Amino acid sequence: MEKTQETEADNGEVKVETKALNDGSLCGYDSLHSLLKANLKPELFQEVNRVLLGLNCGRAIDNIALPESECAKAVSSEHDFDLKAFCFHADKELLRAPRIVRVGLIQNSIALPTTASFLDQKRAIYQKLKPIIEAAGASGVNILCLQEAWMMPFAFCTREKRWCEFAEPVDGESTQFLQDFALKYNMVIISPILERDINHGETIWNTAVIIGNHGNIIGKHRKNHIPRVGDFNESTYYIEGNTGHPVFETVYGKIAVNICYGRHHPLNWLAFGLNGAEIVFNPSATVGELSEPMWPIEARNAAIANSYFVGSINRVGTETFPNPFTSGDGKPQHADFGHFYGSSHFSAPDASCTPSLSRNRDGLLITDMDLNLCRQLKDKWGFRMTARFTAAFGLN
Ligand SMILES: NC(=O)NCCC(=O)O
């Protein structure tokens, strides 16, 4: 990572210096959005923003001030996490009331080095997340989604089986930890974990647990597509999920979860849409070198093509493991994946999207969305109506 700085010498000559940065920032800026904002004239930034982020109901995405989250702001300063809040509107309908839900995404780095005891690592992640979840709850978030395998380091690069110890049943410790918040704040929580299915041969899965707003377990979804790319050696630990493409009916709307690498599979997104999802969450763990140019495109395309909202979440930071490993590409062994670049954001069915959370800090993104927008876009573009699924898949 590099930052260029212009300095003017005594003779008036402008010298451009390039300084290497190793903090996960983009040349010293915490996101592409802030880099552009700081470096473009306001009228240019407005045009760039219009094209990059799109327009929602004819105007730039609104920031929202959350009066109830004054305390969230204080908590975010105290615990040093990024806090951003936006709003997607829909057109006013004459026969249907708006269906506005407040949705939150949390991204975070691990709390202790991977050399700490497993128990300490787990407890420290809970301690780290507690104030962020509380801030979401206090801000009136209705549906909250955490990042992929949030309750452990993303150790699947190592291929070492000892990390399996972190796996828990769907009703295990991390679910119990979150159930209290769900109940306290009347909040649906999506909790992506490493699952151990105690009742079926103690098998391991990459699973999202859907916790209802009464603290009940609504269901689970197991990751459909398991990566075998670069250091993502996840198939050493679990295989392709067996839960299909479930859509969960919650009190706030119909939601689904497309876990990480599933975002590269358009048919995966399609199936959640065909099953009626209004918001699809994509809890992820991915690194800059591998996927950053794909990140803002795939989710946004899914939202457009399937007329639903997408919430994309990525981990933050660099996780270094005790023993080096190789990627099977002839390159030298190393002990980390590279930088998880955060950049969590929402995409809407009208092709607009929010600015991202920071590339290098923990964060909470809160966004209000009127779910009426999904049907309005179906009516406008007619993708569902004009699709020719039977012809495309050779079905009768
Ligand atoms: N966790 C995971 O599936 N990562 C794969 C890498 C990617 O899809 O960008």
Side-chain angles (χ1 to χ4, degrees), residues 12-26:
E13 239 177 66
V14 175
K15 217 168 101 194
V16 179
E17 277 182 309
T18 304
K19 232 171 49 187
L21 293 176
N22 203 10
D23 59 359
S25 69
L26 280 177

Side-chain angles (χ1 to χ4, degrees), residues 4-288:
T4 52
Q5 206 172 23
E6 289 183 4
T7 46
E8 199 173 332
D10 290 345
N11 63 3
E13 239 177 66
V14 175
K15 217 168 101 194
V16 179
E17 277 182 309
T18 304
K19 232 171 49 187
L21 293 176
N22 203 10
D23 59 359
S25 69
L26 280 177
C27 305
Y29 297 96
D30 83 335
S31 68
L32 181 62
H33 193 78
S34 46
L35 182 155
L36 292 171
K37 191 167 186 181
N39 289 285
L40 292 176
K41 289 186 188 136
E43 62 277 18
L44 290 184
F45 176 67
Q46 192 181 326
E47 269 307 87
V48 168
N49 219 20
R50 181 181 65 78
V51 177
L52 277 186
L53 299 186
L55 297 179
N56 167 243
C57 294
R59 53 184 211 259
I61 307 296
D62 274 340
N63 278 85
I64 45 171
L66 301 167
E68 59 286 48
S69 86
E70 274 314 310
C71 80
K73 277 191 209 139
V75 176
S76 76
S77 312
E78 190 189 335
H79 293 272
D80 189 26
F81 64 87
D82 190 13
L83 174 67
K84 291 195 170 80
F86 302 99
C87 176
F88 291 115
H89 301 281
D91 287 336
K92 195 171 160 20
E93 296 185 18
L94 296 178
L95 298 178
R96 207 165 57 141
R99 295 174 57 223
I100 297 168
V101 288
R102 182 162 288 178
V103 190
L105 309 177
I106 293 179
Q107 64 175 40
N108 60 278
S109 57
I110 51 174
L112 286 182
T114 58
T115 44
S117 87
F118 283 7
L119 191 58
D120 287 349
Q121 289 189 55
K122 214 155 106 157
R123 286 197 180 135
I125 293 177
Y126 288 5
Q127 280 315 308
K128 180 179 235 225
L129 278 185
K130 197 166 178 285
I132 314 183
I133 300 172
E134 292 276 9
S139 303
V141 164
N142 303 126
I143 308 175
L144 179 67
C145 187
L146 308 184
Q147 68 195 18
E148 184 180 19
W150 66 271
M151 25 60 89
M152 62 180 290
F154 211 73
F156 311 125
C157 49
T158 67
R159 301 193 187 99
E160 295 165 359
K161 293 297 178 142
R162 65 200 184 93
W163 304 98
C164 295
E165 272 201 60
F166 278 95
E168 321 176 349
V170 158
D171 58 357
E173 199 183 342
S174 64
T175 301
Q176 288 160 24
F177 168 73
L178 294 174
Q179 280 172 312
D180 290 344
F181 297 108
L183 197 56
K184 178 172 174 190
Y185 292 111
N186 200 25
M187 183 162 67
V188 169
I189 303 182
I190 297 133
S191 170
I193 63 167
L194 184 66
E195 180 205 349
R196 186 180 289 284
D197 188 348
I198 300 290
N199 298 325
H200 296 95
E202 307 211 325
T203 46
I204 294 180
W205 305 88
N206 183 320
T207 300
V209 183
I210 318 299
I211 302 168
N213 57 313
H214 301 303
N216 50 315
I217 297 175
I218 297 181
K220 64 167 186 276
H221 174 56
R222 289 172 171 160
K223 184 170 180 171
N224 275 333
H225 301 273
I226 310 302
R228 295 148 173 91
V229 55
D231 290 328
F232 290 88
N233 298 311
E234 296 175 35
S235 57
T236 303
Y237 295 85
Y238 37 80
I239 55 166
E240 282 69 15
N242 58 359
T243 47
H245 297 86
V247 171
F248 303 96
E249 190 110 31
T250 76
V251 68
Y252 302 117
K254 293 183 206 158
I255 63 172
V257 194
N258 183 6
I259 304 175
C260 195
Y261 181 79
R263 75 185 182 284
H264 310 302
H265 292 271
L267 293 185
N268 210 30
W269 292 111
L270 173 68
F272 291 119
L274 292 178
N275 287 342
E278 294 170 304
I279 310 171
V280 180
F281 294 93
N282 178 228
S284 299
T286 187
V287 292

Side-chain angles (χ1 to χ4, degrees), residues 328-354:
D329 57 3
K331 290 196 181 144
Q333 59 177 1
H334 45 282
D336 66 74
F337 271 108
H339 180 69
F340 291 110
Y341 54 85
S343 308
S344 305
H345 63 281
F346 283 103
S347 310
D350 64 356
S352 62
C353 70
T354 66

